[in-house]
Amino acid sequence: MSVLSIHVRTIAVVVGVAVALIATRSLFAAPLAPHERVLLDSFGPWPQPVPADPGNELSGLAWAEALGERLFADPLLSGDEQFSCASCHKAELAFTDGIPLAVATGVHVRNTQGLLDIAQQRWFGWDGGADSLWAASLRPILAKVELNGDIPTVAERLRARPEVMSTLRQWGDVPADDEALVVLASKAIGAYLRTLESGRTPFDEYRDAVVAGTDSASDYPADARRGLSIFFGDANCSVCHFGPNFSNREFHDTGRPFFTGVGEVDPGRYTGIQRLRSDPYNLLGGFSVDVSAHDERKTRTVTLDQNNFGQWRTPSLRNLAYTAPYTHDGSLATLRDVVDAYADIDPERIHGNGEALIRPLDLSEQQREDLVAFLKTLSVESLP
Amino acid sequence: MTRLPFCTIPPAALLVSAPLFAQDTSRLPIADAHVHYSHDSVEMTPPERVIELMREANLKLALVSSSDDQGTQLLTALAPDLIVPGLRPYSRRGQTGSWFTSDENLAYVERLIATNRYASIGEFHLYGADADLPIPRRIVELAEEHNLILHAHSDADAVERLLAQSPEVKVIWAHAGFDNPAEIAPMLEKHDRLWADLAFRSGVGPGGELGDDWKQLFIDYPDRLMLGTDTYTPERMYFIPSHAETARAWMTSLPEDVAEQLAWKNAYDLITPVWEANRDTTLASEDPMAALCNALDASTTTEEDGTTVSITPMNELKVSEPVSVTVTVCGDNAADAVVTLDASMPAHGHGMNYAPEHTVTLTGDAGQQVQVDGLLLHMPGNWEWRVDIDNGTAKISLREDFAIQ
């Protein structure tokens, strides 16, 4: 290939914004710099509009959402009728389970992810193996280690529930085909998951005050303010935990181990993409209804690359206070552990061609606590 | 050798007897390589009447250039079998001494080239070292780019300067520089891309008698000279038949084949192939891709081979939101190439997580436009576009930095 000399031109889409900020070492939070204010603006407002569940004809229908909520908590979906979605996704824990690795019909190799604001994501699951909420709902029903259901059994149980069948008839004829019926039930659950929105947090109040120019009167804690500057500054957290939901909705290798035992690994996004491609319930499949070209494009164009090996979806940081333990394998028990893991990261864990923005941080004890204080302000005061 | 009978019928009678749009085989056809039908002439003589005059003169071909160009276009539309349009670089009369330093005149020429088809640029007035000024140089470039003959009212010095600027361009030396045969001959001998017209040369065949020097010139260079009326005033349109008739008279002293060459074949053989080739080309004005490339922002990335790339809209890029952009690639290597756009974060050592979809939305000789869907720039910071242009024999890559926050 002949690569000729190139004239390079830089286009500044947003002028005047610098990513690197200088973390203050003062115990008192310094006033936000103008570029910090611009950056902060991009982390709101909150709440955000909730996108429809792609390929889901029941998305947005109140009756379907109500049915989905019932099915979410109904053990009829599991093989032995002992577990439901809610067994692991507990509402009082922001739809997590509080333990490192999920336990249902088997012990999972991954931590249960929270479901609040899940519709803001592009991919679902730590590995993004599902491209819609309904596909993400169907997968655990059929997974041996989760609900261990099967299509004929679940369909039979659904047909035996008059209230479920009568509700589904609001849509039209209930499918005679078992697989289509179970998919429809999954779409009802997907419609319900889309409604799981979280409320405003102290951070949101502060952000809005900054944007409105009234932050001088804000009672946002000083330690959180200092932590915010680290988050947006030297620590580079905001590069991946970007936007109002504190997630860029993509996947990264942050140096976390992913052995699941001796001789076994969980490759994360790498297998997620493979699973996505072979999933008959993806947005390119026949069960996807009214899916827009815009929505299905992500599934058609996503690339599988060796960089995906060991990548995990960037989780939202909202409501972290309720979702411990943390990371894909639940191996970090507290927020302070998470901060320490990043601050003291082993650079050998990051490939030379990897995310160059992740590096050991020379953070003081105070700065670490400030970061934790900031992260806590991303949670609602209490869960409903 | 059979000599063609020269006409002795008065022009007025010819007008009545000659069938319209049919060549009169009874008289030697004439190719008139020097006709103007400028704005004041258009006002005084309808184009239909001009064509009548040309038919009356039994013209086989007329190379017409006018100030402004409207007259040329009127005649071309009216008699495409007869008229070959030339592009005169003057929008009005009175620009003969200023056009070669006027950006307006150059812009006028470039606009007309993009709008209409021609066989030549000229007749223009240019002398000596002025031929090496930037605008005449650009005119030569345009002639080369668009397969146009130069029609130069010039001295020998300017003619040689024009020829030196391009290894391809052909020149019709108007009025043969008002030089005498002894001066014209060495120019023709020296430059095989030079032809000469005899317009407004009253010294050629006065009273129907051809001087020996001219006769020898025509014999020595039988395929290089041609006739022309030079209708430089409105009234002179009416001289076309008389000019033709007069020429037929003095050409009787030439060998028949030489006369035939001079009367029409030389001009015809030079001009017709050029015109036929140009007549079938796609104009920039008819080619949206060419128009797009012509209008492309000059600040976009430009490769050494002239390849130019534009990526729009840049102001709608958002972090981690699927976006579509349009990539416009212009250049000789771009038209039939496979164009792909990718993006990466060099400092992070990674690209996007998606292979965007490419749809060619517009193509043309000038390049192509490609819509790229499914771009997802999943992190804020410094990114780099990479545009690969692969035409099967050569592949070039262009990079451009940008930042999103």
Side-chain angles (χ1 to χ4, degrees):
Chain A
M1 183 184 74
S2 168
V3 179
L4 305 179
S5 67
I6 290 148
H7 172 70
V8 173
R9 180 166 66 97
T10 298
I11 300 169
V13 174
V14 177
V15 178
V17 178
V19 172
L21 308 176
I22 305 302
T24 175
R25 301 217 174 240
S26 166
L27 286 178
F28 301 97
L32 285 177
H35 54 272
E36 286 180 296
R37 291 173 182 271
V38 173
L39 192 56
L40 201 56
D41 186 15
S42 66
F43 282 72
W46 192 263
Q48 286 278 299
V50 182
D53 185 27
N56 184 350
E57 64 271 39
L58 304 186
S59 180
L61 300 176
W63 64 264
E65 293 166 356
L67 174 62
E69 184 174 11
R70 287 211 306 275
L71 292 173
F72 184 80
D74 197 323
L76 76 83
L77 300 175
S78 69
D80 58 7
E81 297 189 89
Q82 296 298 308
F83 297 94
S84 70
C85 305
S87 299
C88 293
H89 295 285
K90 303 176 192 296
E92 65 274 22
L93 293 175
F95 294 91
T96 61
D97 54 11
I99 57 177
L101 299 175
V103 178
T105 59
V107 179
H108 212 296
V109 295
R110 295 176 186 169
N111 176 253
T112 298
Q113 289 194 292
L115 298 179
L116 287 175
D117 309 310
I118 188 67
Q120 298 291 343
Q121 293 288 352
R122 179 178 299 120
W123 303 101
F124 306 97
W126 279 107
D127 65 5
D131 55 6
S132 67
L133 288 170
W134 62 270
S137 302
L138 181 54
R139 185 191 54 74
I141 294 173
L142 304 178
K144 288 191 185 311
V145 76
E146 299 188 49
L147 299 188
N148 194 29
D150 63 77
I151 296 282
T153 303
V154 173
E156 182 181 352
R157 291 174 185 165
L158 287 169
R159 293 187 204 283
R161 294 285 187 87
E163 75 280 12
V164 171
M165 300 306 282
S166 64
T167 303
L168 284 176
R169 284 191 193 98
Q170 295 187 52
W171 177 245
D173 293 337
V174 175
D177 176 72
D178 286 353
E179 187 179 28
L181 176 59
V182 175
V183 167
L184 200 59
S186 301
K187 288 183 173 178
I189 297 173
Y192 162 63
L193 295 181
R194 179 177 170 272
T195 68
L196 301 180
E197 297 180 79
S198 69
R200 287 174 60 80
T201 67
F203 167 82
D204 296 320
E205 301 299 335
Y206 176 63
R207 177 263 175 199
D208 289 359
V210 169
V211 172
T214 58
D215 53 309
S216 60
S218 168
D219 56 0
Y220 194 63
D223 55 355
R225 277 274 309 276
R226 294 192 302 270
L228 178 150
S229 287
I230 300 169
F231 184 90
F232 288 131
D234 277 357
N236 280 327
C237 311
S238 63
V239 176
C240 295
H241 293 285
F242 180 88
N245 198 33
F246 287 84
S247 169
N248 68 351
R249 297 172 283 174
E250 290 295 318
F251 302 80
H252 297 277
D253 176 3
T254 56
R256 297 302 303 162
F258 48 98
F259 271 109
T260 57
V262 176
E264 294 178 351
V265 296
D266 180 359
R269 182 58 169 160
Y270 195 83
T271 48
I273 295 173
Q274 291 175 317
R275 208 170 44 152
L276 169 79
R277 288 177 172 175
S278 62
D279 186 357
Y281 309 114
N282 69 25
L283 292 178
L284 305 177
F287 293 97
S288 188
V289 175
D290 295 334
V291 64
S292 69
H294 174 82
D295 282 327
E296 71 173 19
R297 183 176 288 127
K298 65 179 181 185
T299 306
R300 191 169 57 245
T301 62
V302 66
T303 54
L304 180 64
D305 187 89
Q306 57 179 305
N307 288 343
N308 300 129
F309 200 78
Q311 287 185 332
W312 309 96
R313 195 187 70 190
T314 307
S316 167
L317 300 183
R318 288 188 174 272
N319 301 298
L320 276 179
Y322 304 102
T323 63
Y326 304 103
T327 76
H328 70 96
D329 58 358
S331 56
L332 298 173
T334 66
L335 287 178
R336 175 58 191 263
D337 291 339
V338 174
V339 169
D340 288 344
Y342 277 100
D344 304 328
I345 194 168
D346 176 2
E348 297 289 323
R349 289 288 312 178
I350 304 298
H351 192 275
N353 196 36
E355 311 283 4
L357 71 167
I358 298 178
R359 64 191 186 289
L361 300 168
D362 182 22
L363 295 182
S364 68
E365 176 67 19
Q366 180 66 54
Q367 288 175 309
R368 292 170 194 240
E369 287 302 316
D370 289 345
L371 259 178
V372 171
F374 166 70
L375 293 173
K376 285 181 176 174
T377 67
L378 306 182
S379 297
V380 296
E381 301 284 354
S382 62
L383 292 172
Chain B
M1 185 180 297
T2 306
R3 176 161 295 213
L4 291 173
F6 287 165
C7 179
T8 56
I9 304 172
L14 259 180
L15 183 62
V16 174
S17 60
L20 281 178
F21 310 119
Q23 192 70 50
D24 179 358
T25 57
S26 66
R27 296 176 297 157
L28 184 64
I30 298 292
D32 193 324
H34 200 131
V35 176
H36 306 302
Y37 184 44
S38 297
H39 54 90
D40 47 2
S41 195
V42 171
E43 290 174 9
M44 300 304 296
T45 305
E48 293 81 3
R49 177 64 181 133
V50 174
I51 299 302
E52 278 184 357
L53 290 165
M54 291 179 172
R55 305 282 185 202
E56 180 184 335
N58 197 28
L59 296 192
K60 188 175 183 68
L61 175 153
L63 178 62
V64 180
S65 63
S66 312
S67 319
D68 57 10
D69 192 59
Q70 181 195 12
T72 300
Q73 299 306 322
L74 287 171
L75 296 183
T76 305
L78 204 57
D81 63 311
L82 174 63
I83 304 298
V84 175
L87 199 178
R88 197 169 209 200
Y90 312 150
S91 57
R92 305 295 283 179
R93 288 193 184 277
Q95 298 175 350
T96 59
S98 60
W99 74 274
F100 46 87
T101 56
S102 166
D103 290 337
E104 286 185 15
N105 283 79
L106 178 60
Y108 173 79
V109 169
E110 292 186 324
R111 179 172 61 79
L112 288 179
I113 284 180
T115 308
N116 302 320
R117 300 178 178 85
Y118 300 95
S120 64
I121 300 181
E123 174 215 13
F124 54 74
H125 298 69
L126 194 65
Y127 300 95
D130 287 347
D132 285 332
L133 290 172
I135 288 176
R137 284 186 174 278
R138 178 60 185 147
I139 292 293
V140 174
E141 287 178 1
L142 288 169
E144 198 172 78
E145 289 173 18
H146 297 277
N147 186 35
L148 298 169
I149 301 164
L150 294 178
H151 195 180
H153 180 136
S154 300
D155 54 15
D157 183 17
V159 167
E160 293 201 302
R161 289 172 188 267
L162 292 171
L163 287 166
Q165 290 171 28
S166 163
E168 305 287 338
V169 74
K170 297 172 181 174
V171 175
I172 298 175
W173 190 9
H175 316 286
F178 290 102
D179 285 338
N180 57 50
E183 294 160 325
I184 297 170
M187 286 288 285
L188 294 175
E189 186 68 29
K190 183 177 178 182
H191 303 289
D192 60 4
R193 290 181 282 122
L194 180 64
W195 283 256
D197 84 40
L198 301 171
F200 208 70
R201 292 303 301 266
S202 54
V204 180
E209 295 294 326
L210 190 61
D212 290 342
D213 53 350
W214 285 107
K215 184 175 181 180
Q216 194 60 50
L217 180 72
F218 300 147
I219 292 171
D220 290 345
Y221 299 96
D223 54 354
R224 307 287 289 282
L225 291 113
M226 56 193 71
L227 303 177
T229 304
D230 191 0
T231 53
Y232 65 99
T233 60
E235 293 84 352
R236 208 170 157 83
M237 300 304 298
Y238 296 85
F239 185 62
I240 291 174
S242 297
H243 169 267
E245 203 57 33
T246 302
R248 288 190 186 98
W250 58 254
M251 283 190 291
T252 55
S253 63
L254 292 171
E256 183 178 345
D257 55 344
V258 173
E260 201 170 26
Q261 292 279 108
L262 180 63
W264 68 274
K265 279 189 173 176
N266 292 344
Y268 189 87
D269 290 349
L270 171 66
I271 296 169
T272 304
V274 172
W275 173 232
E276 287 180 346
N278 292 357
R279 194 169 47 191
D280 296 332
T281 58
T282 302
L283 296 173
S285 59
E286 297 168 339
D287 180 349
M289 194 65 231
L292 204 60
C293 287
N294 288 337
L296 203 62
D297 183 355
S299 67
T300 50
T301 306
T302 302
E303 254 301 349
E304 284 183 347
D305 71 347
T307 303
T308 305
V309 173
S310 167
I311 301 172
T312 56
M314 288 294 293
N315 59 355
E316 293 180 10
L317 301 181
K318 292 180 180 175
V319 176
S320 204
E321 296 286 351
V323 293
S324 299
V325 299
T326 298
V327 182
T328 306
V329 183
C330 300
D332 293 341
N333 294 319
D336 300 321
V338 175
V339 175
T340 53
L341 176 71
D342 203 355
S344 65
M345 299 190 86
H348 294 189
H350 65 70
M352 296 184 293
N353 294 329
Y354 304 84
E357 296 178 319
H358 296 68
T359 306
V360 177
T361 53
L362 191 62
T363 58
D365 291 342
Q368 61 178 297
Q369 194 167 59
V370 180
Q371 179 172 320
V372 185
D373 298 306
L375 292 158
L376 199 141
L377 310 163
H378 60 281
M379 301 169 81
N382 295 319
W383 286 79
E384 179 186 83
W385 292 126
R386 173 177 164 151
V387 181
D388 284 339
I389 303 161
D390 186 352
N391 67 4
T393 56
K395 181 177 179 180
I396 58 174
S397 298
L398 297 95
R399 292 181 169 83
E400 184 171 352
D401 294 339
F402 66 101
I404 57 170
Q405 299 291 352

